[in-house]
Coordinates of all heavy atoms in Angstrom, one line a residue:
N172 N -10.8 -16.5 0.1 CA -9.5 -16.9 -0.4 C -9.4 -16.7 -1.9 O -8.3 -16.6 -2.4 CB -9.3 -18.4 0.0 CG -9.0 -18.6 1.5 OD1 -8.6 -17.6 2.1 ND2 -9.2 -19.8 1.9
F173 N -10.5 -16.8 -2.6 CA -10.4 -16.6 -4.0 C -10.4 -15.1 -4.4 O -10.0 -14.7 -5.4 CB -11.6 -17.2 -4.7 CG -11.5 -18.7 -4.8 CD1 -12.4 -19.5 -4.1 CD2 -10.5 -19.3 -5.5 CE1 -12.3 -20.8 -4.1 CE2 -10.4 -20.7 -5.5 CZ -11.3 -21.4 -4.8
L174 N -11.0 -14.3 -3.5 CA -11.1 -12.8 -3.8 C -10.2 -12.1 -2.9 O -10.6 -11.4 -1.9 CB -12.6 -12.4 -3.6 CG -13.6 -13.2 -4.4 CD1 -15.0 -12.9 -4.0 CD2 -13.4 -12.9 -5.9
Q175 N -8.9 -12.1 -3.2 CA -7.9 -11.5 -2.4 C -7.8 -10.0 -2.5 O -7.2 -9.3 -1.8 CB -6.6 -12.1 -2.6 CG -6.5 -13.6 -2.3 CD -5.3 -14.2 -2.7 OE1 -4.5 -13.7 -3.5 NE2 -5.1 -15.5 -2.3
D176 N -8.5 -9.5 -3.6 CA -8.5 -8.0 -3.8 C -9.3 -7.3 -2.8 O -10.3 -7.7 -2.4 CB -9.1 -7.8 -5.2 CG -8.9 -6.3 -5.7 OD1 -8.2 -5.6 -5.0 OD2 -9.4 -6.0 -6.8
K177 N -8.7 -6.2 -2.3 CA -9.4 -5.4 -1.2 C -10.7 -4.8 -1.7 O -11.5 -4.4 -0.9 CB -8.5 -4.4 -0.7 CG -8.0 -3.3 -1.7 CD -7.1 -2.4 -1.0 CE -6.5 -1.4 -2.0 NZ -5.6 -0.4 -1.5
Y178 N -10.9 -4.7 -3.0 CA -12.1 -4.1 -3.6 C -13.2 -5.2 -3.9 O -14.2 -4.8 -4.5 CB -11.8 -3.3 -4.8 CG -10.8 -2.2 -4.6 CD1 -9.6 -2.3 -5.1 CD2 -11.2 -1.1 -3.8 CE1 -8.6 -1.2 -4.9 CE2 -10.3 -0.1 -3.6 CZ -9.0 -0.2 -4.1 OH -8.2 0.8 -3.9
A179 N -13.0 -6.4 -3.4 CA -14.0 -7.5 -3.8 C -15.4 -7.2 -3.2 O -16.4 -7.6 -3.7 CB -13.4 -8.8 -3.3
L180 N -15.4 -6.5 -2.0 CA -16.7 -6.2 -1.4 C -17.3 -4.9 -1.8 O -18.4 -4.6 -1.4 CB -16.5 -6.2 0.1 CG -16.5 -7.6 0.8 CD1 -16.2 -7.4 2.3 CD2 -17.7 -8.4 0.6
L181 N -16.6 -4.2 -2.7 CA -17.1 -2.9 -3.2 C -18.5 -3.0 -3.8 O -19.4 -2.2 -3.5 CB -16.1 -2.3 -4.1 CG -16.4 -0.9 -4.6 CD1 -16.4 0.0 -3.3 CD2 -15.3 -0.4 -5.5
P182 N -18.8 -4.0 -4.7 CA -20.1 -4.1 -5.2 C -21.2 -4.3 -4.2 O -22.3 -3.6 -4.3 CB -20.1 -5.3 -6.1 CG -18.7 -5.5 -6.5 CD -17.9 -5.0 -5.3
A183 N -21.0 -5.0 -3.1 CA -22.0 -5.2 -2.1 C -22.2 -3.9 -1.3 O -23.3 -3.5 -1.0 CB -21.5 -6.3 -1.1
V184 N -21.1 -3.2 -1.0 CA -21.2 -1.9 -0.3 C -22.0 -0.9 -1.2 O -22.9 -0.1 -0.7 CB -19.8 -1.3 0.0 CG1 -19.9 0.1 0.6 CG2 -19.2 -2.3 1.0
I185 N -21.7 -0.9 -2.5 CA -22.4 0.0 -3.4 C -23.9 -0.3 -3.5 O -24.8 0.5 -3.5 CB -21.8 -0.1 -4.8 CG1 -20.4 0.6 -4.8 CG2 -22.7 0.6 -5.9 CD1 -19.6 0.4 -6.1
I186 N -24.2 -1.6 -3.5 CA -25.6 -2.0 -3.5 C -26.4 -1.5 -2.2 O -27.5 -1.0 -2.3 CB -25.8 -3.6 -3.6 CG1 -25.4 -4.0 -5.0 CG2 -27.2 -4.1 -3.2 CD1 -25.3 -5.5 -5.1
I187 N -25.7 -1.6 -1.1 CA -26.3 -1.1 0.2 C -26.5 0.4 0.1 O -27.5 0.9 0.5 CB -25.5 -1.6 1.4 CG1 -25.7 -3.1 1.5 CG2 -26.0 -0.9 2.7 CD1 -24.8 -3.8 2.6
C188 N -25.5 1.1 -0.4 CA -25.6 2.5 -0.5 C -26.7 2.9 -1.5 O -27.4 3.9 -1.2 CB -24.3 3.1 -1.0 SG -22.9 3.0 0.2
V189 N -26.8 2.2 -2.6 CA -27.9 2.5 -3.5 C -29.3 2.3 -2.8 O -30.2 3.0 -3.1 CB -27.8 1.6 -4.8 CG1 -29.0 1.6 -5.6 CG2 -26.6 2.1 -5.6
A190 N -29.4 1.2 -2.0 CA -30.6 1.0 -1.3 C -31.0 2.1 -0.4 O -32.1 2.6 -0.3 CB -30.5 -0.3 -0.5
V191 N -30.0 2.7 0.3 CA -30.3 3.8 1.2 C -30.7 5.0 0.4 O -31.7 5.7 0.7 CB -29.0 4.2 2.1 CG1 -29.2 5.5 2.8 CG2 -28.7 3.0 3.0
V192 N -30.0 5.3 -0.7 CA -30.4 6.4 -1.6 C -31.8 6.2 -2.2 O -32.6 7.2 -2.2 CB -29.3 6.6 -2.7 CG1 -29.8 7.6 -3.7 CG2 -28.0 7.0 -2.1
M193 N -32.1 5.0 -2.6 CA -33.4 4.7 -3.1 C -34.5 5.0 -2.1 O -35.6 5.5 -2.4 CB -33.5 3.3 -3.6 CG -32.9 3.0 -5.0 SD -33.0 1.4 -5.5 CE -34.8 1.2 -5.7
F194 N -34.2 4.6 -0.9 CA -35.2 4.9 0.2 C -35.4 6.4 0.4 O -36.6 6.8 0.4 CB -34.7 4.2 1.5 CG -35.7 4.5 2.7 CD1 -36.8 3.8 2.8 CD2 -35.4 5.5 3.6 CE1 -37.7 4.1 3.8 CE2 -36.2 5.7 4.7 CZ -37.4 5.0 4.8
I195 N -34.4 7.1 0.4 CA -34.5 8.6 0.5 C -35.2 9.2 -0.7 O -36.1 10.0 -0.5 CB -33.1 9.2 0.7 CG1 -32.5 8.8 2.1 CG2 -33.2 10.7 0.7 CD1 -31.1 9.1 2.3

């Protein structure tokens, strides 16, 4: 409710993508 912006989850998605890239 505080983070109404649609990009609020973008940092978490980026972190997961970085994790996949780091593994590779």
